[in-house]
Amino acid sequence: MLSNSGVRVRLVASVSLAAMLSLPAMAQESAQAPVNLGIEEIVVTAQRTAQSLQDVPIAVSAFSADALQKQQINNPLDIQLTLPNITFTKTNFTGASFTIRGIGDLCVGVTCDSATAIHVEGMPLFGTRLFETEFFDLERVEVLRGPQGTLFGRNATGGVVNFANAKPTMDGIHAAGEVEYGNFNSLRLKGMFNLPLTDTLAVRVAGTYLKRDGFTENVFNNTRIDGRDLYAIRGSVRWEPTPDTTVDAMAYYFREDDDRSRVQKQLCQTDPTGVLGCLPGRLDNGFLNANSTFVGTLSSSEFLISQGLPGSLGLGSLYGTDAYTFPGNTNPADVRQVRTDFTPTYGAEEQQYMLRIAHDFGKIKVQATGMYQSNSVDSQVDYNLSVFDPAVASAGLANAAFLGGAVPALAGLATVVDAISSGNQFCTSLAEETGTGSFGGNRLCSDTAQDFDRSVERRNAWTGELIVNSQLDGPVNFLVGGIYVKSTLPENSYYVNSWGIDYVAGILGAGNGGFLGTPFFRNNTARYELESFGLFGEAYIDLSDTLKLTGGLRYNNDRKFVSARSTLASFLVPFGATNAFDTPFGAGFDADPASPCAAPSVVGPIGSVPGCDAFSNRNVKFTAVTGRVVLDWKISDTSLLYVSYSRGYKSGGINPPLQPIFEVQDAFAPEFVNAFEIGSKNTFLDGALRANITAFYYQYQNLQLSRIVARTSVNDNVSATVWGLEGEFIMQPTRALAINLGASYLNTRVSEDKFLSNPRDPSGGRSDAVIVKDITNGSNCAVINNGAGGQAATSAFVTGANNAINAGAIPGLQPGAGLRGPTSFGADSGLNGATGAFGICGVLSAVGAGTQFETLAAGVETNLRGNQLPQAPEFKFSAGIQYTADFDNGMSVVPRIDMAHTGQSFGNIFNGFINRIEAYTVINAQIQLNGKEDRWYLRGFVQNLTNNNATTGLYVTDQSSGLFTNIFTLEPRRYGVAAGFRF
């Protein structure tokens, strides 16, 4: 029964307000505040010193360890639900995007910096896998919104997410443990042990383990994929040799090895023409038309005939049924079901080692920190999430085997057939470094022809930081610091492997005694180096007892070097070669389109031909001075008003090299943001209501945006404006009842005339355009009419050019290809009357030179001015309610429910219906029974109560891959029970 004193809220000293409300907040671990009628005071370190949350003139939220548990926040996908103007989504290439106030990681590539800086113990991390593990034994997680360059590590334009680990204590032996079991056969373990060795020395060890079945059903073989199998362990030591000196050391290790999929689902409105692959009208549960891809075009009978090869070697016609259309091969409508003949693999590893020494000299505090980090990731997934028709592959092998025996000039086809098949199995090149694939014996053989990609990266970084801050009695104090970073990436490769690419590489090279290397797409960064240092500081001036001025400056210096190349069937490799590049023909391969080979026919080792570069090597340097100024007014003991201006900076980078026909700019510029903010922090009703409100306006210069060109991410710059409002509220109407509310509004717009072509619609909305699929490389171009005649005249021009190809009137091309004129995409295609055709863009450009017809290699550009930024929902709202009932026997029961609503946004900068991410709502609930003195607990929980499968982000592939859309979703409904102890 309830005690005579009635129900009351349990305030656990180590978590302050967060334990009561589970609202983003943190408290000092050692606080022993008495129970009172008001909302508990919160102490944060957002400005590198302990301050009340209500006294900090920064938009900052924080979660204590108990708050993470109460709100069922196990990972970053959960943490973003409750914070205003923040979104989080997985991305296509083993990464993630954490977006704050519309500023996120929209830049994709090894030389990109993070707009949202991720820190551990205030130290920046690089390429971290931290977002892939589960949260465990944390003291707090802090989220600071807005540029933070004068306080934290390397500068960032969006904000900082800082993870603070729980520290060893000398006050006694402590331990905690939890076992959780839930649906999907999920087993999660967490544990911690704290041991004082002396009065001044203690150690702490903590770890977590998670193993569960996959969220996704593979209907191809009735298995489950997208499971997790991971663990992490962290050890820390704290030594206090004197009352004024603290030494902290930390070591962390994380490992994952499972069948997690980088892609939840692939969507496509199938293009019946094959010119685009997927139409831009909507996202359907269809497969792309394989005739639109690099494999589809180069293995077509039409293309082979134009190259003087028998059309019977083709895997089909451009105008026939594609290789993904056959009985039984359907894309399930359920977002949790896929059809794939390839089981994904995912492996990741990370190590962190940190040493920090802090000493209090009285008037001055000094803190020196050194950190080493290394991490790696290696994942593979079915690139097309589908199954290639075995009948098509078998027919191609049979014809190649026949012609290899019947035509002496094609005798090399026998070697090709042996390399890419074994008995009744199809053999696909592995994603490997020699560049020989199946032709070098590096192959995967299976009953179906495979299509998969591989993303692999290894990285390490050294970081050193020194911070000095004052504790003077006068009106002026300061903080100064410096940081140095040396980060090295010795390997980053993105591969696209396909049995069809092997087939194309083989039949196109067989007549010359070899295959085209590499027989897979590989974008390879052989080395990337970042050397960065920054000097930063702030001064704090008390203008009066209630008015304070803060001013800060930062100097940034970033140097980057990258060595990279991109290959796909780029040069001849003789049969029997053990390394594609260590061949005479490899000497003529030029990895740098900006420096053409002087004599590509000269025989010699790679790089020995003048102008032929084994890798494209680039150096860039960026420097900038940034800072902030803040004026805060303590209106009363319970109200603070502040205004601030800050300038944020994120360094530019280097775009990867592409094949010469897809040349892009070498580098992209740094980002800058001018951020203006006004905020008010208040406590009302004798402490029963806390209300914090913020308004902000950003002027964004050179926002870095990624797009896919030739299967590779390249980055552009665009300017934008961002403004919005945020509110966070805590209500405690009674001692037993606690309520938290959060809401935000965000407005983002491209603020300049920026013209880019939309890969989904190369016509740019022009009804007179003809979209052409280039059969020599799988890309799209657009032909437009600058004169009279409209669509009819444009179609007649394209038809005429194709007829010239068919007749053999184009030098270098053989007659008989049978290319046709333009055709309609259909009334519901999402295209404004444009038509499509197969052809050769170079021929169209040459034939149309000096006429009214213009061939645009990238398509018709459209103006992005006024478009919304990606991952920037206009509205967010969250609410949580908790009731704590105590019983006479010292036990308590705490039910809680949380709801978070995220409004509509867009998945990329081109906006439009097809790129829209619909609004979604997530509801979590749990009930926990606490034992006497909180020594043990039992908990039942459910996450995503309504089983919402909402999309959180999307990725659009390039034109030579068919323009399919990969989506990333919320995790499905999870429920289970947990039991734990602590002492």
Side-chain angles (χ1 to χ4, degrees), residues 108 698 834 923 978-979:
V108 178
Y698 289 178
I923 299 175

Side-chain angles (χ1 to χ4, degrees), residues 776-844:
T776 68
N777 55 54
S779 67
N780 287 118
C781 62
V783 179
I784 59 173
N785 182 3
N786 295 321
Q791 176 63 253
T794 314
S795 296
F797 166 74
V798 174
T799 301
N802 280 353
N803 286 339
I805 295 173
N806 297 336
I810 305 299
L813 299 177
Q814 301 302 309
L819 295 177
R820 304 175 187 175
T823 185
S824 171
F825 288 103
D828 64 344
S829 65
L831 299 164
N832 185 31
T835 58
F838 291 95
I840 300 177
C841 294
V843 170
L844 290 164

Side-chain angles (χ1 to χ4, degrees), residues 40-51:
E40 188 70 17
E41 193 66 33
I42 309 164
V43 177
V44 298
T45 55
Q47 295 194 124
R48 298 281 192 161
T49 187
Q51 293 176 280

Side-chain angles (χ1 to χ4, degrees), residues 11 254 414 438 546 658 755 828 906:
L11 294 176
F254 161 77
S438 291
T546 60
L658 309 177
F755 292 89
D828 64 344
F906 290 99

Side-chain angles (χ1 to χ4, degrees), residues 6 11 95 438 549 569 653 757 770 805 875:
L11 294 176
S438 291
L549 177 66
S757 57
V770 175
I805 295 173
F875 298 98

Side-chain angles (χ1 to χ4, degrees), residues 514-529:
F515 62 95
L516 299 185
T518 53
F520 43 76
F521 171 74
R522 183 187 184 192
N523 185 274
N524 171 225
T525 299
R527 189 167 185 83
Y528 167 62
E529 295 179 357

Side-chain angles (χ1 to χ4, degrees), residues 187-402:
L187 176 65
R188 178 184 281 119
L189 305 176
K190 294 182 181 181
M192 174 277 293
F193 182 70
N194 181 90
L195 176 65
L197 300 177
T198 70
D199 291 341
T200 61
L201 179 66
V203 297
R204 188 181 186 107
V205 179
T208 185
Y209 171 76
L210 173 64
K211 185 176 178 60
R212 65 160 171 79
D213 295 338
F215 287 156
T216 302
E217 179 187 0
N218 182 7
V219 300
F220 175 75
N221 55 13
N222 296 318
T223 61
R224 300 200 72 87
I225 59 174
D226 199 22
R228 302 297 299 273
D229 190 351
L230 62 88
Y231 68 89
I233 187 169
R234 181 170 57 245
S236 51
V237 177
R238 170 162 283 189
W239 180 38
E240 297 177 349
T242 74
D244 298 320
T245 305
T246 301
V247 179
D248 284 308
M250 182 271 290
Y252 168 85
Y253 180 76
F254 161 77
R255 183 177 179 85
E256 178 177 2
D257 186 6
D258 47 44
D259 61 2
R260 178 150 67 104
S261 177
R262 286 187 277 109
V263 179
Q264 177 58 47
K265 187 75 170 179
Q266 196 168 103
L267 302 178
C268 174
Q269 180 188 0
T270 306
D271 171 17
T273 72
V275 172
L276 289 174
C278 297
L279 295 172
R282 58 183 184 272
L283 296 180
D284 288 347
N285 290 293
F287 289 127
L288 66 94
N289 187 324
N291 293 340
S292 67
T293 66
F294 177 88
V295 169
T297 56
L298 272 74
S299 70
S300 68
S301 58
E302 289 82 3
F303 172 73
L304 295 177
I305 289 171
S306 76
Q307 304 302 302
L309 293 171
S312 58
L313 274 179
L315 296 178
S317 167
L318 295 169
Y319 307 102
T321 302
D322 75 290
Y324 295 140
T325 302
F326 59 95
N329 193 41
T330 58
N331 189 2
D334 190 336
V335 73
R336 303 294 175 190
Q337 291 182 328
V338 298
R339 182 181 301 277
T340 173
D341 54 354
F342 184 86
T343 300
T345 62
Y346 199 99
E349 188 175 40
E350 181 163 15
Q351 301 177 62
Q352 298 170 11
Y353 304 95
M354 190 198 77
L355 177 65
R356 170 171 291 161
I357 302 174
H359 185 78
D360 188 344
F361 291 93
K363 300 296 185 182
I364 298 292
K365 283 185 176 181
V366 179
Q367 175 180 285
T369 309
M371 187 171 190
Y372 172 76
Q373 175 202 4
S374 70
N375 59 68
S376 63
V377 62
D378 191 343
S379 69
Q380 298 182 110
V381 69
D382 187 338
Y383 185 70
N384 293 312
L385 278 184
S386 58
V387 181
F388 195 95
D389 188 351
V392 170
S394 295
L397 285 173
N399 290 335
F402 172 77

